Amino acid sequence: MLTLLYRSDAVSLLPFSALADICVRSSTNNRRLGITGFLVEHEGTFLQVLEGEAEAINRLFARISKDERHYNMAVLGRWERPGRSFGFWAMNFGPLDNPSFWQGRFADLRDGEAFRLRSGDAETAMAVLCQAYVFAGTVAGADPVIGDFVIG
Ligand SMILES: Cc1cc2nc3c(=O)[nH]c(=O)nc-3n(C[C@H](O)[C@H](O)[C@H](O)COP(=O)(O)O)c2cc1C
């Protein structure tokens, strides 16, 4: 099972509806491909984690890389792991507009430029995705158990 983590910059700021559209299409596609994951966008910076069989992930990532809605993609990590940590949704996204998301350890990242600069750091990116994933579960009234993700 491959986990792929990347960051990218949006070509232009996308409205909520455009992000929701990406996620709805993605979850239909990803479910068919046995892929799960999570996406966040903050003031024009994307972070996404994808989990699934290596061949399926590589093929999907090649398609996402050609998407003209974003650029400056950087793969932050590829890990072969036995299980999934983001297995609750085939794809979902965490709107980070709730102030309580930014309290505590992410307080310094709320500023869009600070977030963009730090988004290339794998550990920070994964920590944000993990927190956003759990947050989205709380908002949805679900309990998506997060497997411990340790960047080794
Ligand atoms: C930041 C970002 C993340 C995306 N993630 C996925 C994804 O997880 N799965 C997916 O199928 N498409 C994803 N897409 C969209 C793909 O690039 C592509 O538009 C889509 O797969 C085409 O699918 P369709 O032919 O069903 O419209 C993403 C696009 C962007 C900009």
Side-chain angles (χ1 to χ4, degrees):
M1 185 75 59
L2 182 71
T3 297
L4 188 147
L5 169 68
Y6 76 87
R7 58 87 55 218
S8 65
D9 292 313
V11 166
S12 57
L13 284 183
L14 296 176
F16 182 90
S17 58
L19 287 167
D21 185 59
I22 289 177
C23 271
V24 168
R25 281 166 189 271
S26 296
S27 68
T28 305
N29 292 340
N30 294 5
R31 193 165 296 115
R32 202 178 55 237
L33 300 169
I35 291 173
T36 54
F38 204 73
L39 175 72
V40 299
E41 185 276 342
H42 183 56
E43 298 197 13
T45 300
F46 287 118
L47 300 174
Q48 190 176 30
V49 61
L50 298 165
E51 303 173 321
E53 293 308 323
E55 204 184 311
I57 293 289
N58 290 334
R59 212 173 299 147
L60 172 63
F61 187 64
R63 194 161 83 221
I64 296 174
S65 304
K66 290 192 198 126
D67 196 308
E68 293 182 353
R69 287 170 288 191
H70 63 167
Y71 68 111
N72 268 349
M73 294 182 81
V75 173
L76 306 179
R78 284 175 169 271
W79 300 274
E80 272 298 340
R81 305 172 62 236
R84 299 173 191 264
S85 291
F86 296 85
F88 195 75
W89 291 287
M91 188 50 59
N92 196 1
F93 76 110
L96 305 184
D97 52 0
N98 188 323
S100 63
F101 182 84
W102 301 103
Q103 280 165 12
R105 67 183 291 202
F106 299 131
D108 293 346
L109 297 179
R110 189 169 182 182
D111 171 72
E113 184 58 13
F115 188 84
R116 196 182 69 76
L117 288 171
R118 291 278 300 285
S119 65
D121 175 64
E123 217 154 312
T124 302
M126 190 53 93
V128 168
L129 280 160
C130 287
Q131 175 139 324
Y133 175 79
V134 171
F135 209 84
T138 310
V139 170
D143 183 19
V145 174
I146 184 99
D148 276 345
F149 197 99
V150 179
I151 295 181

